Amino acid sequence: MEILLDIIRSVDYNILLLIADRLRGGMLDPVMTMLSLIGNGGAVWITLAVLLLFFRKTRRAGAAMLLAMLAGFLVGNLWLKELVMRPRPFVTHSDLTALLAPGDRWSFPSGHALSSFAAATALWCFHKKTGVLALVLAALIAFSRLYASVHYPTDVLAGMLIGIVLGHAAAFLTDRIIDTFHSIRLRKGDK
């Protein structure tokens, strides 16, 4: 098991080193910094979700996005990060420098990837075309965290997978809850 973990750690580090050596230091730096910043605290996703709540056709998607992000915050930030306590790549490897301040101490899982994929997946469950665009943005935000050397690839992968699961679960629950309330309201109207 320890050999497998050593291999994963080595691959994680080498991918970050490759990104830092081959991609960083040019015109991509401000773009990736901006992508990472709009993902801070799920700001872009919360804003979008709240806007979607105002329209009947998109209300379920907005509610599901907020539910998915809340679940992601609880699972990722409050539970897993504190359980695993994995240091950031630039802390562990002095040859990696962070492009920006990471926001908190721990690396696993990536909160940016988790919230982005949770929200984008929830949106995709209700609106496929818009959801695909949101998933592309989620992937760019997740990659920006690697680019900035503030997460390992396995942090981002874990955040992405947990986010996708929570996005689907939130969409399912939102559908059931809203349908239940709608049915109750209709039955009360019949009496």
Side-chain angles (χ1 to χ4, degrees), residues 50-151:
V50 169
L51 288 173
L52 294 176
L53 290 174
F54 287 105
F55 305 98
R56 176 172 279 200
K57 288 177 85 172
T58 58
R59 194 166 291 145
R60 287 181 192 228
M65 289 170 72
L66 292 172
L67 179 61
M69 286 185 290
L70 174 62
F73 176 75
L74 295 173
V75 169
N77 290 53
L78 295 185
W79 182 59
L80 279 175
K81 279 192 183 227
E82 297 302 319
L83 178 70
V84 176
M85 296 192 306
R86 184 181 196 186
R88 300 276 180 177
F90 65 90
V91 172
T92 307
H93 304 282
S94 60
D95 53 341
L96 294 172
T97 55
L99 190 62
L100 45 82
D104 61 35
R105 287 175 44 170
W106 308 123
S107 186
F108 183 89
S110 167
H112 281 68
L114 201 162
S115 65
S116 294
F117 276 94
T121 300
L123 177 57
W124 179 84
C125 287
F126 293 97
H127 304 282
K128 301 292 189 237
K129 289 179 183 176
T130 309
V132 167
L133 295 175
L135 287 166
V136 169
L137 179 58
L140 289 170
I141 290 171
F143 179 75
S144 77
R145 304 303 281 174
L146 299 176
Y147 187 93
S149 293
V150 294
H151 280 293

Side-chain angles (χ1 to χ4, degrees), residues 23 25-32 147:
L23 297 178
M27 291 176 25
L28 270 180
D29 284 8
V31 173
M32 289 298 159
Y147 187 93

